[in-house]
Amino acid sequence: MQAKKRYFILLSAGSCLALLFYFGGLQFRASRSRREEHSGRNGLHHPSPDHFWPRFPDALRPFVPWDQLENEDSIVHISPRQKRDANSSIYKGKKCRMESCFDFTLCKKNGFKVYVYPQQKGEKIAESYQNILAAIEGSRFYTSDPSQACLFVLSLDTLDRDQLSPQYVHNLRSKVQSLHLWNNGRNHLIFNLYSGTWPDYTEDVGFDIGQAMLAKASISTENFRPNFDVSIPLFSKDHPRTGGERGFLKFNTIPPLRKYMLVFKGKRYLTGIGSDTRNALYHVHNGEDVLLLTTCKHGKDWQKHKDSRCDRDNTEYEKYDYREMLHNATFCLVPRGRRLGSFRFLEALQAACVPVMLSNGWELPFSEVINWNQAAVIGDERLLLQIPSTIRSIHQDKILALRQQTQFLWEAYFSSVEKIVLTTLEIIQDRIFKHISRNSLIWNKHPGGLFVLPQYSSYLGDFPYYYANLGLKPPSKFTAVIHAVTPLVSQSQPVLKLLMAAAKSQYCAQIIVLWNCDKPLPAKHRWPATTVPVIVIEGESKVMSSRFLPYDNIVTDAVLSLDEDTVLSTTEVDFAFTVWQSFPERIVGYPARSHFWDNSKERWGYTSKWTNDYSMVLTGAAIYHKYYHYLYTHYLPASLKNMVDQLANCEDILMNFLVSAVTKLPPIKVTQKKQYKETMMGQTSRASRWADPDHFAQRQSCMNTFASWFGYMPLIHSQMRLDPVLFKDQVSILRKKYRDIERL
C-alpha cells in the first residue's frame, strides 16, 4: 500500500513538471518571436537569449542630458564645458566666441571705435539707457562715422525686456532686423538689465540677437558665453551717470568687526522662482548679530497668499532701518531674487559690507577680469545653514582686506553708469588686442583697469603704481621740461637761470625746452653750455596742452615741469625730487593752490591765498611721472583740452584734476621760500597773466567745467608740507643736507 502511494506521488509530480515546462516554454517562445519580429522591423540586432533581463514597465531611466541620448559613448569623454555649450539655449548664437562671431578686421584699421545708432523718431528711451548711450558718446572710443567703427550699439532701448514693464519696447525684433548695419548682430553689443517675465523669468531678451554680444545683468553661467558676453551689475534708475559717491569706508577700524555680523533686508517670495532661499532665511536669523529680515508685504495680492509667518516677519522687518544695518554690518547677504542679480550687491560694495553671495549659477559682474574671491564670500544656496559659522571663521586680517577691496572695486568700476559702460568696453578692447591686454594685477589693484592704458606700455614697471609689487626702486633721474612762451632777448632772462639751476642737479638727465613762442627758435649758441643735453623742440600748434604731450624725447620716467619764469635753486630741485621718489604716483612741487565750495554762488571756487591747506600743486614747478602726459593726451576728452587751448589757461588745474582722480590722493607740497610768490609776480613775462582779473575768472570757470565732466570733485585737501630733516632746527648749518633752502 505504501509503495502504491509513493508511485502515485512521483507520477503526479512528474506530470506537473511536464505541464510547467510545456506552458512556460510556449510563452517564452511566443515572447521571443514577438521581439524578433519587432527587431526585424527596426533593423536591430539582439544578443543571445541568455543575455535578456526581465522588462519592468516603470523602470528608472539613466540620468543623461537629452542632447546626449543620441550618442551614449560621449557621456564618458565629454568635458563639463562641452556639456554646457551643448545644452539648449535661448540664444541661437550660443556657441559664439570672439573668433567665430566677431570681425576683427573692422578694428585693425581704425582701432577700437564705437558707433551708436542715431535715435529714431518716436522711440522711447528710458533714462538708464540714455545714460549708457551718453557715456559711450562722451568716451574716447566714440565715433560718429559707422565706417570707422569696430563696435556698434543700438539706440533702441533693450535694457528692460520684461513684457509687463512700462519700459518694454514692442516689435523690437522687426526694428532690429531693419537696421542696415545689423548684419545678423555681428560686432554689435546689446545692453540688458531685465529679461523674461512672470512666472519663470527666463533670460530671453525677446528677439533674435544673432551674433551680437550681450552686456547683461543677472546672466547665468549656463547661458553666459565666456570671452564673448560681459556680465554687468544690476543697477537702479537712480544710479549716477558720472562720478558717483565714494565708498563709505572712511578709515580702517581695527578690529574690523562691526555691530552686526550678517544682515539682509528685502522681499520674501512665497512661491515661484527665487522663493526657496529667501523663505529659509528665518532659520539663520537670530535677532542679535545675524539679522535676516524679510517681508511678504509687496505686490497687490500679498494678503491672499500670505503664510503663517508673514505677520511676524513683517513686524520684525519694520523694526530696523536698512541703512543703519548696512553701515554697521561686517557681512551683507546677497541672495537671489526673482532673477539671479540683486540691487543689494552694489549697495553692499559701497557700504564696505563684505557681500556674501547666495545665488547659485550667477556669473558675477565683470568676472572675466575681477577676482571676486578678494572682495566677497561666494556661498551656496544649498548650504545656507552653514553661512554663519563660515563667516565667523574668517580671520580679522582677511575681513579687513575684503572690505578694502570692496571700496576699490566700487570706486573703480561700479560707482556710476559711465564706469560700468567703460569697463565693459575696455574688457572687449582687451579681447581684440590681446597682445597689449591688461593682466589680473592691473584690474584688481589700485588704480584699476580704466586708468592704466595698455597702449602706453605692456610692462608694469613703466607705470608709477606697481614699483612695490615688482620690487623696483623709483627712477633715479628726471627730465626737466621748460615751457617757454616769450622770445629770448637777453642772457639774463629767468629762463636761462632756471635752465642752469636744473642742469646742475645731480638727478638731472636732460633738459627739454618746449618752444611755444610765436618767434622763431633761437640759434643754438644762444643757449648756455651745460653738463647735460639740452633739447629745444617746437610746440605742436603752440597751444597750452602741448606741454603735456608724451614726447619721445623724454627718456626718464620722472618729469620736472617748469614755467619759464619759475625761480628755483638747484637745492630746491634736488629736495623736491627726493620727495617725489617716495611718492612716484603723485604730483610733488612748490606753488600750491586750493579749491572751495561757494555756498552763495553754489559753485566751486579757486583761491591762491596762502592758507593752512591746499589741493593743487601747480605744474609751473612740479615733478610727476611721465605717464600722466600720456593719460592727459589720450584719456581726457578733446572738449576739455580745447577749452584749455582756447583760454591759454587752466592746463595745470586740469592736470591736478586728472592725477587726483587717478590716485584718490592729494598732491605733495614741499618747502617753499617766502618770497616765491612775490618773485614770480614780478616777472615781466607773466605779470600780465597773474594781474589780469580775467585770468582768475577763467580759472574759476575751469574748475566747474572740469568738475562737471568728472562727475564729482576729485581734488582732495591736504595740510601736509614736507621739509628737509633738521629744517629750521637749532643745530649747525653744516649738519644739514639742504642748507641752502633756509637761506632763500
Side-chain angles (χ1 to χ4, degrees):
M1 186 68 180
Q2 295 294 330
K4 290 182 179 180
K5 288 182 179 180
R6 285 196 294 271
Y7 288 132
F8 179 74
I9 292 172
L10 289 173
L11 181 61
S12 300
S15 301
C16 290
L17 289 172
L19 291 172
L20 180 62
F21 279 110
Y22 174 77
F23 288 109
L26 181 63
Q27 184 177 7
F28 178 80
R29 287 191 298 272
S31 63
R32 179 181 178 185
S33 64
R34 284 195 297 270
R35 284 196 297 270
E36 290 176 345
E37 180 181 1
H38 177 75
S39 301
R41 285 197 302 267
N42 292 279
L44 301 175
H45 174 70
H46 286 274
S48 57
D50 53 336
H51 287 189
F52 279 95
W53 293 88
R55 300 185 64 183
F56 300 98
D58 296 322
L60 292 175
R61 301 179 65 183
F63 180 75
V64 181
W66 68 270
D67 59 313
Q68 300 175 25
L69 292 177
E70 297 179 359
N71 183 8
E72 295 182 357
D73 293 337
S74 64
I75 299 175
V76 178
H77 304 291
I78 197 168
S79 68
R81 173 61 59 82
Q82 290 171 320
K83 287 181 181 179
R84 187 177 71 179
D85 290 345
N87 286 338
S88 64
S89 172
I90 54 177
Y91 312 130
K92 293 184 179 180
K94 173 64 178 177
K95 295 185 178 181
C96 267
R97 298 296 182 269
M98 295 295 290
E99 294 77 15
S100 58
C101 296
F102 193 89
D103 187 357
F104 289 87
T105 60
L106 298 180
C107 311
K108 300 296 184 182
K109 182 178 179 182
N110 302 306
F112 187 67
K113 294 296 182 182
V114 184
Y115 173 76
V116 177
Y117 283 84
Q119 296 186 15
Q120 301 179 10
K121 291 184 179 180
E123 290 292 340
K124 61 179 181 179
I125 300 179
E127 183 179 358
S128 294
Y129 198 61
Q130 289 178 352
N131 290 340
I132 289 177
L133 299 183
I136 297 174
E137 292 171 350
S139 73
R140 66 184 187 279
F141 303 120
Y142 176 71
T143 178
S144 58
D145 184 359
S147 65
Q148 303 288 317
C150 164
L151 190 67
F152 300 82
V153 176
L154 303 179
S155 62
L156 297 167
D157 190 347
T158 57
L159 277 191
D160 194 341
R161 301 304 298 153
D162 186 338
Q163 296 181 13
L164 300 179
S165 170
Q167 306 295 337
Y168 181 80
V169 177
H170 295 274
N171 303 319
L172 194 56
R173 185 193 307 269
S174 59
K175 294 176 181 177
V176 170
Q177 295 295 335
S178 65
L179 298 174
H180 68 284
L181 297 173
W182 175 243
N183 191 25
N184 194 32
R186 202 171 183 86
N187 287 52
H188 280 67
L189 176 64
I190 295 173
F191 287 90
N192 176 254
L193 292 182
Y194 307 98
S195 61
T197 189
W198 171 266
D200 48 8
Y201 293 94
T202 66
E203 296 178 40
D204 186 3
V205 295
F207 66 98
D208 181 13
I209 66 171
Q211 297 179 346
M213 291 180 285
L214 275 175
K216 191 177 189 315
S218 305
I219 191 169
S220 65
T221 54
E222 179 183 2
N223 289 319
F224 181 75
R225 296 169 293 182
N227 296 315
F228 192 70
D229 293 331
V230 179
S231 176
I232 63 175
L234 183 65
F235 58 87
S236 70
K237 63 181 180 180
D238 299 322
H239 205 55
R241 185 178 70 84
T242 60
E245 294 184 13
R246 297 197 65 177
F248 297 152
L249 183 63
K250 303 302 181 185
F251 52 89
N252 294 317
T253 306
I254 304 297
L257 300 178
R258 294 176 174 176
K259 179 180 179 181
Y260 304 116
M261 176 60 68
L262 178 67
V263 301
F264 170 75
K265 188 176 183 182
K267 297 177 182 178
R268 177 162 70 90
Y269 306 108
L270 300 177
T271 58
I273 190 168
S275 61
D276 294 344
T277 300
R278 297 198 180 194
N279 276 334
L281 294 183
Y282 76 98
H283 290 294
V284 182
H285 170 80
N286 64 16
E288 296 177 359
D289 65 340
V290 177
L291 299 180
L292 305 182
L293 309 173
T294 59
T295 179
C296 312
K297 197 174 181 179
H298 57 89
K300 297 180 180 179
D301 301 325
W302 71 272
Q303 289 184 330
K304 294 181 181 179
H305 305 288
K306 71 176 184 178
D307 57 18
S308 59
R309 288 202 340 268
C310 275
D311 291 334
R312 185 171 62 255
D313 286 353
N314 293 344
T315 302
E316 189 80 358
Y317 183 89
E318 298 295 336
K319 288 182 180 179
Y320 296 89
D321 178 72
Y322 175 62
R323 293 189 67 83
E324 189 271 337
M325 291 170 56
L326 198 64
H327 288 258
N328 291 280
T330 305
F331 295 92
C332 285
L333 195 68
V334 185
R336 66 161 296 160
R338 290 301 192 189
R339 299 174 177 87
L340 292 173
S342 168
F343 292 132
R344 299 293 179 265
F345 179 67
L346 290 187
E347 293 168 354
L349 278 185
Q350 183 181 13
C353 185
V354 180
V356 179
M357 312 306 301
L358 215 59
S359 182
N360 292 7
W362 182 21
E363 189 74 25
L364 294 179
F366 305 137
S367 55
E368 183 176 335
V369 296
I370 293 178
N371 181 2
W372 283 110
N373 290 322
Q374 297 179 0
V377 177
I378 314 300
D380 191 317
E381 294 180 67
R382 298 167 296 185
L383 303 176
L384 171 64
L385 299 182
Q386 297 181 16
I387 293 295
S389 60
T390 299
I391 61 176
R392 291 183 194 277
S393 67
I394 300 176
H395 196 272
Q396 293 183 5
D397 291 346
K398 178 65 173 177
I399 293 175
L400 182 60
L402 290 169
R403 181 177 296 166
Q404 290 172 336
Q405 191 68 0
T406 64
Q407 299 301 274
F408 160 66
L409 293 176
W410 164 258
E411 295 184 7
Y413 307 120
F414 298 107
S415 63
S416 68
V417 175
E418 180 186 52
K419 290 179 181 177
I420 294 172
V421 171
L422 291 180
T423 304
T424 301
L425 297 181
E426 293 283 9
I427 289 174
I428 297 173
Q429 182 181 218
D430 277 4
R431 295 173 184 168
I432 298 170
F433 304 102
K434 291 183 178 180
H435 60 292
I436 56 171
S437 61
R438 303 163 180 84
N439 59 26
S440 179
L441 177 64
I442 293 176
W443 283 108
N444 292 279
K445 184 173 176 57
H446 183 79
L450 298 187
F451 286 121
V452 178
L453 306 186
Q455 294 80 6
Y456 174 74
S457 176
S458 58
Y459 175 52
L460 292 182
D462 289 335
F463 298 92
Y465 319 109
Y466 308 109
Y467 293 140
N469 297 88
L470 301 176
L472 300 176
K473 291 183 178 180
S476 59
K477 296 286 185 178
F478 66 80
T479 296
V481 179
I482 302 176
H483 186 228
V485 295
T486 57
L488 192 61
V489 295
S490 170
Q491 292 299 309
S492 61
Q493 282 185 226
V495 64
L496 299 182
K497 296 179 181 179
L498 179 64
L499 188 150
M500 291 301 298
K504 291 178 181 178
S505 171
Q506 59 181 314
Y507 306 111
C508 184
Q510 63 174 354
I511 296 176
I512 294 177
V513 178
L514 179 61
W515 192 255
N516 265 350
C517 180
D518 294 333
K519 302 295 183 179
L521 284 172
K524 191 173 183 180
H525 70 273
R526 299 287 303 277
W527 300 101
T530 61
T531 57
V532 298
V534 176
I535 304 172
V536 182
I537 57 178
E538 197 156 7
E540 183 177 319
S541 304
K542 308 288 186 181
V543 294
M544 294 299 292
S545 292
S546 64
R547 71 182 301 176
F548 295 138
L549 287 174
Y551 294 105
D552 294 335
N553 307 80
I554 302 176
V555 296
T556 62
D557 285 340
V559 175
L560 171 60
S561 177
L562 298 167
D563 284 342
E564 62 175 9
D565 55 357
T566 299
V567 179
L568 284 180
S569 68
T570 302
T571 304
E572 289 175 300
V573 171
D574 286 348
F575 176 65
F577 182 71
T578 57
V579 171
W580 177 85
Q581 288 179 310
S582 298
F583 306 95
E585 75 281 9
R586 303 206 220 178
I587 298 177
V588 175
Y590 287 93
R593 299 290 183 267
S594 187
H595 75 285
F596 64 95
W597 178 255
D598 189 336
N599 285 319
S600 61
K601 297 180 180 178
E602 294 188 347
R603 63 199 302 262
W604 293 106
Y606 170 89
T607 179
S608 60
K609 293 180 179 179
W610 288 27
T611 60
N612 286 320
D613 60 17
Y614 64 94
S615 58
M616 291 171 278
V617 167
L618 304 186
T619 54
I623 302 175
Y624 51 80
H625 198 281
K626 73 171 182 179
Y627 173 61
Y628 292 122
H629 278 201
Y630 186 89
L631 209 56
Y632 184 99
T633 302
H634 296 283
Y635 178 81
L636 295 175
S639 60
L640 297 188
K641 290 179 288 187
N642 290 339
M643 177 182 181
V644 166
D645 295 338
Q646 290 171 4
L647 296 176
N649 195 356
C650 303
E651 80 288 351
D652 46 2
I653 298 178
L654 184 54
M655 178 60 85
N656 274 270
F657 266 72
L658 175 63
V659 177
S660 291
V662 174
T663 62
K664 307 295 188 294
L665 295 168
I668 301 291
K669 173 179 169 56
V670 290
T671 305
Q672 180 173 307
K673 54 195 174 191
K674 292 182 179 179
Q675 66 268 35
Y676 178 86
K677 182 179 180 182
E678 289 75 15
T679 304
M680 179 184 65
M681 292 289 289
Q683 300 299 330
T684 56
S685 62
R686 289 168 62 93
S688 58
R689 282 189 64 189
W690 293 103
D692 185 2
D694 290 340
H695 175 81
F696 190 80
Q698 289 171 355
R699 294 174 80 79
Q700 297 269 18
S701 178
C702 288
M703 293 277 295
N704 290 277
T705 302
F706 298 162
S708 175
W709 184 84
F710 279 92
Y712 70 110
M713 172 52 73
L715 298 179
I716 301 171
H717 283 102
S718 174
Q719 295 181 352
M720 180 180 71
R721 189 185 77 183
L722 296 185
D723 298 332
V725 178
L726 299 181
F727 180 72
K728 297 291 186 181
D729 285 357
Q730 299 300 317
V731 298
S732 171
I733 195 71
L734 299 177
R735 295 175 58 186
K736 300 182 180 183
K737 182 176 181 180
Y738 300 101
R739 61 192 67 161
D740 291 340
I741 291 182
E742 296 188 29
R743 297 170 178 168
L744 297 173

